[in-house]
């Protein structure tokens, strides 16, 4: 293969965009895709107070690395989930990454918010552990960002995550979720921090390559409670599609972002949770409901 830009021989390519590139031009291409996402969706600028939620995995650490290389000042936030060795490793990778680069990492424990670690959830809730974990992470990262006055919270979701979610929502024609799917969630409540996904224009393979070239040491293991089979099925479907039509994933996702504004405005009205004051579409937020349920269970 030859680099599409300089013609040098190369063994690497952007798989997502089916584009052979030498190392130098791959890095340039990757950073340009991220910059394009940041600018076209008005995610943040050099004066914003930016916080990235880091799991210790390849996506979130790469998001931190690339933003730093683009000249943004970004702090990290790691939530310790209390899942044994997996949490220990996730924390260590996040910690080492920050230390090596002299960056500020905020660390909080889920237990301090929920009153227990995830594996200690009562039996009746344990089978929903992934959903509960996701909800709790969203609640805690939002809350910490608000309490510490950050302007924006970054997550490591990439193009592959987004196309899978989009396909899932389209298969069910879940219009509410389709309206809401966006690389930017605006601040629509005083206690809802703006959320952004700067990696939406780069895919899994690209993130992997960038992480390797930049020598980022990340957790490779999946969470022992790892998500069910559905998202894996969608990845398989896109793998087959991509073999037949290389580069189809960015075409699908970017096309969606272009036409999506033709649908009605997707903002939902957010109320303040009667218990904690943080945003919810209901009267009491899902996190507080979970805590009530846990307290009730304890009494019984
Ligand atoms: P996941 O739901 O595990 O695919 O994670 C999606 C995004 O949430 C990641 O890219 C991170 O930005 C963030 N995230 C996941 N786990 C944690 C964690 N333990 N602490 C902080 N942020 C996290
Ligand atoms: Zn080149
Ligand atoms: Zn609440």
């Amino acid at each position: 293969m030859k680099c599409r830009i300089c013609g040098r021989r190369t063994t690497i390519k952007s798989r997502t965009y089916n584009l052979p590139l030498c190392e130098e031009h791959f890095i340039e291409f990757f950073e340009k895709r991220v910059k394009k996402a940041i600018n076209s969706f008005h995610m943040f600028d050099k004066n914003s107070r930016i916080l990235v939620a880091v799991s210790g995995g390849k996506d979130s650490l790469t998001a931190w690395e690339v933003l730093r290389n683009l000249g943004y000042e970004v702090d990290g936030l790691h939530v310790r989930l209390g899942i044994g060795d997996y949490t220990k490793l996730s924390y260590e990778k996040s910690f080492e990454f920050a230390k090596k680069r002299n960056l500020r990492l905020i660390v909080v424990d889920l237990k301090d918010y929920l009153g227990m670690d995830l594996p200690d959830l009562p039996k009746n809730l344990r089978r929903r552990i992934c959903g509960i974990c996701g909800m709790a992470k969203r609640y805690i990262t939002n809350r910490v960002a608000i309490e510490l006055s950050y302007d924006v919270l970054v997550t490591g979701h990439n193009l592959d995550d987004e196309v899978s979610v989009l396909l899932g929502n389209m298969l069910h024609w879940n219009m509410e979720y389709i309206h809401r799917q966006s690389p930017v969630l605006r601040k629509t409540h005083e206690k809802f921090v703006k959320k952004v996904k700067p990696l939406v224009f780069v895919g899994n393979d690209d993130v992997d390559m960038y992480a390797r070239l930049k020598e980022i040491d990340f957790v490779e293991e999946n969470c022992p409670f790892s998500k069910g089979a559905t998202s894996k099925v969608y990845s398989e479907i896109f793998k087959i599609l991509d073999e037949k039509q290389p580069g189809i994933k960015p075409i699908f996702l970017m096309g969606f972002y272009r036409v999506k504004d033709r649908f009605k405005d997707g903002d939902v009205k957010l109320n303040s949770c009667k218990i904690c004051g943080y945003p919810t579409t209901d009267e009491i937020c899902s996190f507080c409901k979970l805590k009530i349920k846990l307290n009730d269970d304890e009494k019984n």
Side-chain angles (χ1 to χ4, degrees), residues 3-8 21-26:
C3 170
R4 196 65 67 80
I5 297 184
C6 68
R8 254 184 288 184
L21 293 164
C22 68
E23 182 172 328
E24 178 194 337
H25 287 124
F26 176 87

Side-chain angles (χ1 to χ4, degrees), residues 12-29:
I12 64 181
K13 68 190 277 191
S14 159
R15 288 193 183 277
T16 313
Y17 290 89
N18 191 31
L19 197 61
L21 293 164
C22 68
E23 182 172 328
E24 178 194 337
H25 287 124
F26 176 87
I27 289 172
E28 191 181 282
F29 173 78

Side-chain angles (χ1 to χ4, degrees), residues 139 273 275-276 285 288:
Y139 180 87
C273 169
I275 295 175
C276 71
C285 80
C288 288

Side-chain angles (χ1 to χ4, degrees), residues 54 56 61 64 78 88-103 105 107:
V54 288
L61 290 184
W64 205 357
H78 178 68
K88 188 167 170 279
L89 204 58
S90 307
Y91 166 68
E92 280 168 8
K93 299 288 184 192
S94 307
F95 180 84
E96 288 301 328
F97 179 95
K99 192 173 157 209
K100 216 169 165 181
R101 293 161 179 82
N102 211 6
L103 297 166
L105 177 71
V107 180

Side-chain angles (χ1 to χ4, degrees), residues 139 143 273-280 284-289:
Y139 180 87
R143 184 160 180 164
C273 169
K274 291 237 160 78
I275 295 175
C276 71
Y278 276 80
T280 172
I284 295 176
C285 80
S286 313
F287 193 85
C288 288
K289 277 187 203 157

Side-chain angles (χ1 to χ4, degrees), residues 11-113:
T11 53
I12 64 181
K13 68 190 277 191
S14 159
R15 288 193 183 277
T16 313
Y17 290 89
N18 191 31
L19 197 61
L21 293 164
C22 68
E23 182 172 328
E24 178 194 337
H25 287 124
F26 176 87
I27 289 172
E28 191 181 282
F29 173 78
F30 186 95
E31 292 178 351
K32 268 194 188 155
R33 297 312 296 159
V34 176
K35 215 166 165 180
K36 184 172 162 66
I38 295 169
N39 293 337
S40 45
F41 293 105
H42 308 288
M43 291 186 177
F44 43 75
D45 57 43
K46 298 266 156 90
N47 297 317
S48 309
R49 291 204 66 221
I50 308 169
L51 184 66
V52 57
V54 288
S55 62
K58 79 172 193 319
D59 296 308
S60 48
L61 290 184
T62 296
W64 205 357
E65 174 72 14
V66 64
L67 294 186
R68 201 174 71 96
N69 290 334
L70 288 171
Y72 294 97
E73 236 180 81
V74 185
D75 295 339
L77 168 62
H78 178 68
V79 182
R80 278 197 294 223
L81 305 171
I83 308 179
D85 287 348
Y86 175 71
T87 289
K88 188 167 170 279
L89 204 58
S90 307
Y91 166 68
E92 280 168 8
K93 299 288 184 192
S94 307
F95 180 84
E96 288 301 328
F97 179 95
K99 192 173 157 209
K100 216 169 165 181
R101 293 161 179 82
N102 211 6
L103 297 166
R104 180 179 185 214
L105 177 71
I106 301 159
V107 180
V108 299
D109 286 287
L110 178 134
K111 192 176 185 173
D112 291 338
Y113 291 83

